[in-house]
Amino acid sequence: MGKRVAIIGLAVVLGLLGLGLLGWMNRSALILFAVSNFVPDPEIAETRAIEWEQGPAASSDPQGERPPNIVFILLDDLGINDLSTFGGGVADGRVPTPHIDRLAAEGAIFTQAYSGTGTCAPSRAMLMTGRYPTRTGFEFTPVPPGMGRVVSLVGNAMERGGLPDIDYDAERAALSPDYEGQGLPGDEVTIAEMLKAQGYHTVHIGKWHLGRGETSRPTAQGFDESLLMASGLFLPEDDADVVNARLDFDPIDKFLWARMRYAASYNSGDWFRPGGYLTDYWTDESLKVIEANRHRPFFLYLAHWGVHTPLQATREDYDAVGDIEPHRLRVYAAMLRALDRSVGRIMQKLEEEGLDDNTLIVLSSDNGGAGYVGLPEINAPYRGWKITLFEGGIRVPLFMRWPQRIAAGTQVETPVAHIDVTPTLAAAAGASLPDGVAIDGLNLLAAAEGKAGISRPDDAIFWQSGYYRVVRAGDWKLQYNGRQDRAWLYNLATDPTEQTNLADIETDKREELMALLDAHQAGARDPLYPYTLESPIMIDKTLAETYAPGDDYVYWPN
């Protein structure tokens, strides 16, 4: 009955759109009303306790003689300038990140670390497999049903100041599997599978975004247990403890508020209400996992949702960060405070359980900060945002702390990327990489220990999203966008913030790097599903600012 009502409701709305009978409500509001009210959701049960699997009551091996525990903490859409580790911090340093700073200072900082790409899901696939999209086919970020069409309709209805429209391809969308089925193929071997084969108990908590089908969900990809972020609200919008910040200039934000719910699921079971503000809830449950597995090697993948939109903070954190303007920046700062607290609580729990010395903690972000939150300093001093491959979109923290093996204060200057995480964690655990599977990443452990350098073929790291392709080889970085037939070439040794485009000057270097891009694509696997949305993204302005003729932008296909 519910599905029938939903279909009738959508039909009515689409009929109104077709007839133009929108006098009682503007078109964008009507679309969002339909998304919010006529798309059915699973039933969401009340909060429930998670019965985490319990490890042995005692260990026969002393901590120092067994493989290290591994905790991988992934943040979402963190701007490189959000961390006081790098001398920055939200609101001109008024909101420091002391716990993350401590993690970094007590281990290795990779000063030129890069995400797998400029959006979340393909980066996560590279983190989990150590392989480029040319091998896995996982090239574009899956979006919930209707999101592409809604974002294009709502975004194009806004005042764009001459910025080209967002293009949505309904025919390509019809060729794609449904959202649940847009996942990492089951025959890909994840780091969780490698560690599980080595005797680790493997647990995922938080965001996944690599598919929810039978072969792509976390428990099908090597995790013994998974506490999944089922939708996208940090707290119910009307919760007495929440402070919300809506972004009226962002069509993605409008869709999220209309569509997202407050829900979790355990091991792909029914949806239920989480037990608090998501960042704190995921952390609470992580502490329980650490305690349950203190006598056996474990791998905990804590994939936070913060600081991704929708912007929601607890009242306590909002009050604690002080009188910051604008409102969205204050909420953002409060969200970051919660993430930093999470890292501190994880480290404290490991110390309390006597696991600190022999636990490898890795922290990173899936990509750079998003321009659509309207906060111009989050990626400073780098140009660009999430949904670009300029430095601001792909520069991320990468910290490794393992007191037993990695000396405090270690800094590694060589460029590294998310594809390097899987081989590094496997090496730390003594796990074997899968036979017959090409791994693109490198083991960074020796570099973190100060024992060896890092050398990769052609000294090259690659990024791509459809026709937007990038390579960094040594100090040189070439971006090429096929739709615009445009190249950007920079020498990052002398121009790390990509101010002076040398593409029409250093033509030999441009051709050399184009050849590397072409070679990287030779024999590449086709994407698992096509891109359906092409968005012009301003490079030097946030979405809260107005486009003016002459402003630089790049097309992003997804």
Side-chain angles (χ1 to χ4, degrees):
M1 180 68 180
K3 181 177 286 188
R4 183 180 179 187
V5 170
I7 292 171
I8 293 171
L10 280 172
V12 170
V13 170
L14 291 174
L16 287 170
L17 287 172
L19 294 172
L21 302 178
L22 306 179
W24 61 282
M25 187 181 292
N26 69 56
R27 177 174 177 168
S28 294
L30 181 57
I31 294 168
L32 295 168
F33 177 82
V35 169
S36 181
N37 291 278
F38 296 132
V39 178
D41 288 306
E43 183 177 343
I44 302 174
E46 290 303 307
T47 303
R48 64 183 61 160
I50 306 299
E51 300 295 332
W52 294 106
E53 294 182 28
Q54 299 295 306
S59 174
S60 58
D61 298 322
Q63 268 295 311
E65 297 180 13
R66 77 185 199 198
N69 309 302
I70 298 174
V71 178
F72 178 32
I73 303 173
L74 188 64
L75 310 182
D76 200 314
D77 288 3
L78 185 82
I80 197 73
N81 194 43
D82 289 339
L83 301 183
S84 42
T85 303
F86 298 115
V90 174
D92 296 323
R94 288 177 58 186
V95 185
T97 50
H99 300 297
I100 295 174
D101 295 350
R102 179 193 157 202
L103 187 155
E106 293 181 356
I109 299 174
F110 292 84
T111 62
Q112 296 191 76
Y114 289 100
S115 62
T117 188
T119 57
C120 49
S123 277
R124 293 163 191 270
M126 283 179 257
L127 282 164
M128 287 289 106
T129 65
R131 285 157 56 84
Y132 284 121
T134 49
R135 300 191 192 277
T136 66
F138 197 91
E139 189 165 341
F140 307 114
T141 291
V143 297
M147 182 173 178
R149 183 185 294 276
V150 170
V151 166
S152 63
L153 288 171
V154 173
N156 291 339
M158 294 177 172
E159 173 55 49
R160 299 180 63 80
L163 186 67
D165 279 351
I166 303 167
D167 292 336
Y168 173 72
D169 192 321
E171 292 184 4
R172 284 183 172 175
L175 298 175
S176 298
D178 62 23
Y179 177 63
E180 302 290 319
Q182 293 182 31
L184 187 68
D187 57 4
E188 292 292 334
V189 183
T190 70
I191 183 58
E193 291 173 287
M194 299 175 208
L195 295 178
K196 187 173 181 177
Q198 190 66 8
Y200 278 71
H201 186 72
T202 55
V203 179
H204 157 261
I205 293 179
K207 183 175 177 178
W208 178 241
H209 214 169
L210 296 177
R212 300 186 187 181
E214 291 187 3
T215 62
S216 59
R217 62 185 57 155
T219 50
Q221 292 282 9
F223 286 98
D224 294 305
E225 300 179 272
S226 170
L227 177 57
L228 177 72
M229 183 183 78
S231 192
L233 292 183
F234 291 84
L235 276 173
E237 185 179 358
D238 59 355
D239 191 285
D241 191 40
V242 75
V243 181
N244 305 308
R246 288 176 176 262
L247 308 175
D248 291 338
F249 47 81
D250 176 31
I252 295 175
D253 191 68
K254 289 177 178 290
F255 177 86
L256 294 178
W257 283 109
R259 190 71 198 96
M260 295 294 102
R261 305 293 183 255
Y262 179 59
S265 71
Y266 175 70
N267 286 356
S268 302
D270 296 339
W271 288 18
F272 60 89
R273 289 170 60 93
Y277 180 69
L278 275 193
T279 300
D280 293 326
Y281 174 61
W282 300 142
T283 307
D284 292 342
E285 296 303 320
S286 294
L287 303 188
K288 296 174 186 176
V289 167
I290 291 170
E291 185 170 345
N293 294 282
R294 62 191 180 278
H295 295 306
R296 62 179 172 184
F298 63 84
F299 171 47
L300 170 61
Y301 172 34
L302 172 55
H304 276 300
W305 182 220
V307 285
H308 198 293
T309 52
L311 298 184
Q312 295 184 287
T314 65
R315 175 70 60 181
E316 180 180 354
D317 286 326
Y318 182 79
D319 291 341
V321 299
D323 188 14
I324 296 172
E325 294 292 342
H327 173 68
R328 63 179 178 272
L329 178 58
R330 184 171 176 179
V331 174
Y332 184 93
M335 296 173 73
L336 184 62
R337 184 176 189 266
L339 288 172
D340 185 68
R341 178 173 61 248
S342 171
V343 172
R345 294 178 65 202
I346 295 290
M347 295 171 69
Q348 180 181 351
K349 182 64 174 178
L350 291 169
E351 292 168 0
E352 291 172 352
E353 298 294 342
L355 305 175
D356 182 58
D357 281 349
N358 196 34
T359 296
L360 170 60
I361 306 177
V362 180
L363 182 141
S364 191
S365 175
D366 60 349
N367 43 249
Y372 55 70
V373 296
L375 302 175
E377 302 300 323
I378 55 178
N379 295 326
Y382 302 107
R383 295 180 70 193
W385 320 96
K386 172 188 180 179
I387 326 182
T388 81
L389 296 174
F390 280 78
E391 294 287 284
I394 54 177
R395 281 272 187 148
V396 294
L398 182 61
F399 308 143
M400 296 184 183
R401 180 185 183 272
W402 185 4
Q404 189 169 290
R405 294 275 296 271
I406 299 174
T410 301
Q411 292 205 6
V412 180
E413 306 291 340
T414 308
V416 299
H418 277 169
I419 54 167
D420 301 322
V421 170
T422 277
T424 301
L425 299 187
S432 299
L433 296 175
D435 291 336
V437 177
I439 301 294
D440 295 303
L442 300 175
N443 172 14
L444 305 179
L445 194 56
E449 294 177 313
K451 295 179 179 178
I454 300 168
S455 177
R456 65 183 82 237
D458 298 311
D459 204 15
I461 301 173
F462 297 91
W463 298 266
Q464 69 189 68
S465 185
Y467 48 68
Y468 186 13
R469 301 185 293 151
V470 177
V471 60
R472 174 172 179 170
D475 291 328
W476 289 90
K477 179 182 173 187
L478 175 70
Q479 304 187 56
Y480 177 74
N481 192 280
R483 170 163 173 162
Q484 294 165 286
D485 190 21
R486 186 172 175 196
W488 295 263
L489 176 67
Y490 302 100
N491 185 335
L492 297 181
T494 58
D495 186 16
T497 59
E498 298 175 297
Q499 301 298 316
T500 305
N501 185 1
L502 302 175
D504 294 331
I505 300 171
E506 298 284 353
T507 54
D508 288 346
K509 178 60 68 173
R510 171 180 170 172
E511 293 308 312
E512 175 189 332
L513 297 184
M514 279 298 300
L516 287 179
L517 285 174
D518 291 341
H520 181 68
Q521 289 294 320
R525 178 176 180 172
D526 289 337
L528 298 173
Y529 40 86
Y531 61 82
T532 60
L533 207 65
E534 297 179 80
S535 304
I537 307 296
M538 292 187 290
I539 298 166
D540 299 308
K541 288 182 175 179
T542 74
L543 201 56
E545 301 169 89
T546 302
Y547 172 82
D551 287 342
D552 220 352
Y553 63 88
V554 64
Y555 271 99
W556 182 275
N558 185 75

